Amino acid sequence: MRNMHTPLLAKTKTVTALLCMLGVIGNAHAQFATTITPAVPADTAPQAPAKPAAKPAAAAAKPAAAVPLAAPPVAAPAPEAARASREPRPVDSILVVVNNEVITRQEVAERLASVEQRMAAQNVQLPPRNQLVRQLVERMIVERAQAQMAKESGIVVDDAMLDRAMQRIAEQNKMSMPEFRSRLEKEGMVYATFREEIRREILGQRLREREVDNKVTVTESEIDNYLAAEANAGGEHQELDIAQILIRVPENATPEQLAARRDRAEDVLRQLRTGADFAKTAAAYSDAADALNGGDLGWRAAERLPQLFLDGVAKLQDGQVSAILKSGNGFHILKLVGRRAAGNQQAAAPAVQQTHVRHILIKVTQVVTAAEAKRKLTELKERLDHGSASFEELAKLYSNDLSAAKGGDLGWVYPGDTVPEFERAMDQLKPGEVSQPIESPFGYHLIQVVERKTDDASKERTRQAARQAIRERKIEEANEDWMRQIRDRAYVEYRNDD
């Protein structure tokens, strides 16, 4: 359960930006709903699968079936108003078909208002609207395809889970829920829309954990090489603030597609070198998930950045832009925003308490509800209390993670290795004691502490820190590749109505 090392939402850059600014979600610009038409570049025009089993049902639907946009109610309309109400009204309509679902013009209009408000709050220059809409629609296509994959995998974020996440966000901002909601509304946000944004982020995070994070492995030789490189660097650590523009190359791209994307990257680089604003250009052209944040990756330790990025900015001064860099995902253009010393991370490491812990995890899915998971663990706890079974036996039979084969044993963990909910419950247990069912973002747990010890900055801890740094870097690279695959494999049909 090493993927429990960060709190819920801690890895989600978009949510972090939302919380820091409290100005992301705005009212929908309904007047855009019938006029938004994304500009689809010729080299990215979507194609149907070569041998589709059947055209998606939604693709056969006609825009005429869309629901009209609701008009504000009036108590007693005048005759003129009554006549006006019988005049033709704009209707919402299908803009994009994604597999067997649709994205409507109204949905895009609402997200556009949100993005424009966020970019204005971040002082990011807005690109031309057609470019911004194209970028936004591409993001929504990937989000919709991810949501479909999550549904097929049985991953859900129900209202109860969302309420708890919202409560944690309020607590992190040192507010009660009523205060937090009031603050959102004062900043012009729609609370319900903000909740759905958080739901999408949690859903995407849980899907990434399953499809990307849990499949990344780090070998002992990689750790040895990492530690050797650190030793050669003399213990000096740097943090870099980098922004990127990614021109993504489709999976199994043809030579023509590859050339077209290279030309696009060169055009972007020409614009940057003739004075174009990097953040504005990223919002207009980048295919990365952070495009609408101006491409900024934020401050990161050098060892947690891809080697390609480190090599690309090695000779740059603050504010300079790199040449075009080629990776498996496409063409990158980087800007070095800043560089600073991070100090010796190994110096004066204090003694810390380690806990040898095991657990039984029951995940909440479409088949298993939260109440059923909690009830099942309560039954298992009763069996343990009565001595009718051992913890190891029950973990092997019922736990829903890879530790089941080892009787639920998670080994020795340090503070911060697990999510806060798990760690708080674990810290309250005495050796040999079993917790009540505990909820975390992963599901419900029974936790048993086997033993504890105090350790200084041991060799084991040093290797563990190196493993985590390598893992984070590999996850970053794997996530970009995964996002590209999701987009490339989705059936996408644009409806550019006249």
Side-chain angles (χ1 to χ4, degrees):
M1 204 171 74
R2 296 295 181 188
N3 58 351
M4 295 176 61
H5 62 280
T6 53
L8 180 64
L9 302 181
K11 295 185 286 187
T12 310
K13 180 177 174 64
T14 304
V15 169
T16 303
L18 291 173
L19 300 179
C20 291
M21 293 174 2
L22 292 177
V24 176
I25 305 299
N27 295 322
H29 290 183
Q31 61 267 36
F32 300 147
T34 58
T35 59
I36 294 175
T37 303
V40 184
D43 67 320
T44 61
Q47 301 292 329
K51 295 182 180 180
K55 189 172 184 179
K62 302 303 292 182
V67 179
L69 297 176
V74 289
E80 293 81 1
R83 285 194 297 272
S85 68
R86 293 193 294 269
E87 294 296 320
R89 297 178 184 174
V91 295
D92 196 6
S93 58
I94 296 172
L95 183 62
V96 187
V97 178
V98 183
N99 295 322
N100 61 349
E101 297 182 10
V102 301
I103 297 172
T104 68
R105 283 176 167 76
Q106 180 66 22
E107 290 179 86
V108 177
E110 292 174 358
R111 291 290 295 278
L112 179 63
S114 165
V115 168
E116 288 179 326
Q117 185 176 350
R118 182 177 74 233
M119 293 177 70
Q122 290 178 313
N123 295 318
V124 175
Q125 296 182 37
L126 291 173
R129 170 155 299 187
N130 67 323
Q131 295 177 338
L132 181 58
V133 170
R134 182 191 65 207
Q135 291 287 78
L136 180 58
V137 170
E138 278 297 306
R139 171 176 286 193
M140 293 177 72
I141 288 170
V142 174
E143 287 177 352
R144 189 61 54 90
Q146 282 182 313
Q148 293 165 356
M149 181 183 294
K151 184 177 180 181
E152 293 170 358
S153 301
I155 299 174
V156 294
V157 180
D158 58 25
D159 288 341
M161 184 182 298
L162 185 58
D163 288 341
R164 291 188 290 271
M166 295 296 291
Q167 182 65 45
R168 284 192 290 270
I169 294 171
E171 291 171 357
Q172 289 166 7
N173 284 271
K174 296 179 172 56
M175 299 180 191
S176 66
M177 274 306 300
E179 290 172 337
F180 184 61
R181 182 166 185 166
S182 175
R183 176 70 180 276
L184 292 175
E185 292 170 350
K186 285 179 182 178
E187 294 293 333
M189 295 192 208
V190 179
Y191 181 73
T193 308
F194 182 84
R195 273 175 57 89
E196 291 308 307
E197 181 79 6
I198 300 301
R199 192 195 300 272
R200 282 195 297 269
E201 294 292 345
I202 298 173
L203 190 69
Q205 177 183 317
R206 293 183 65 188
L207 184 63
R208 284 192 298 272
E209 286 169 349
R210 170 176 170 156
E211 298 295 326
V212 180
D213 297 16
N214 291 345
K215 297 178 181 178
V216 169
T217 59
V218 179
T219 66
E220 294 301 315
S221 62
E222 288 176 315
I223 296 174
D224 292 338
N225 293 337
Y226 176 92
L227 293 175
E230 270 203 333
N232 292 335
E236 295 181 1
H237 294 267
Q238 279 194 330
E239 290 181 345
L240 304 176
D241 187 359
I242 293 176
Q244 74 156 332
I245 294 173
L246 168 64
I247 307 300
R248 184 172 286 126
V249 173
E251 194 175 20
N252 301 318
T254 65
E256 293 77 13
Q257 287 176 312
L258 191 61
R261 295 305 174 92
R262 177 82 193 195
D263 290 344
R264 186 180 183 189
E266 290 176 348
D267 178 58
V268 169
L269 185 59
R270 279 194 295 270
Q271 293 182 44
L272 293 171
R273 289 184 170 171
T274 54
D277 179 76
F278 193 96
K280 177 181 178 181
T281 307
Y285 293 102
S286 181
D287 296 319
D290 47 43
L292 298 179
N293 295 322
D296 189 16
L297 302 178
W299 287 101
R300 298 192 184 185
E303 59 268 19
R304 285 170 166 79
L305 286 167
Q307 190 61 45
L308 177 71
F309 285 18
L310 295 177
D311 294 341
V313 302
K315 298 181 180 179
L316 297 183
Q317 300 297 318
D318 290 2
Q320 289 185 329
V321 174
S322 74
I324 296 172
L325 308 174
K326 178 68 169 67
S327 77
N329 292 313
F331 299 101
H332 305 258
I333 301 172
L334 307 179
K335 176 182 177 180
L336 178 60
V337 180
R339 192 193 306 265
R340 67 189 182 192
N344 188 346
Q345 298 175 354
Q346 303 294 334
V352 294
Q353 179 176 266
Q354 285 182 278
T355 303
H356 184 190
V357 65
R358 51 192 174 200
H359 78 148
I360 300 172
L361 168 66
I362 296 184
K363 296 181 179 179
V364 177
T365 67
Q366 285 182 319
V367 177
V368 180
T369 66
E372 290 170 343
K374 187 174 181 180
R375 179 183 55 78
K376 184 61 180 177
L377 287 179
T378 300
E379 293 175 358
L380 297 182
K381 174 74 162 55
E382 291 177 356
R383 292 178 63 181
L384 290 170
D385 290 343
H386 289 89
S388 60
S390 70
F391 199 99
E392 295 91 333
E393 291 170 345
L394 296 182
K396 289 178 180 179
L397 288 173
Y398 297 104
S399 192
N400 295 152
D401 73 340
L402 297 177
S403 72
K406 298 183 291 183
D409 193 353
L410 300 175
W412 289 96
V413 299
Y414 286 84
D417 283 349
T418 63
V419 292
E421 298 90 341
F422 189 99
E423 184 167 306
R424 282 194 296 267
M426 177 183 71
D427 289 346
Q428 293 173 5
L429 298 174
K430 299 175 182 177
E433 188 178 0
V434 178
S435 72
Q436 296 296 327
I438 300 298
E439 183 187 12
S440 84
F442 300 93
Y444 283 83
H445 312 254
L446 284 184
I447 305 170
Q448 183 184 52
V449 169
V450 180
E451 57 182 322
R452 287 194 173 96
K453 67 181 181 181
T454 301
D455 189 18
D456 56 10
S458 63
K459 180 179 179 181
E460 177 188 351
R461 181 61 170 169
T462 301
R463 292 185 68 82
Q464 183 179 342
R467 183 187 302 276
Q468 187 59 37
I470 299 168
R471 176 180 167 78
E472 289 182 13
R473 184 170 63 198
K474 294 177 78 170
I475 285 175
E476 186 84 18
E477 297 168 348
N479 187 60
E480 285 289 346
D481 186 53
W482 176 65
M483 297 280 283
R484 179 186 65 176
Q485 292 176 20
I486 288 177
R487 178 60 179 86
D488 290 347
R489 295 172 186 177
Y491 173 90
V492 179
E493 178 186 336
Y494 291 86
R495 294 290 184 85
N496 292 336
D497 299 332
D498 294 332

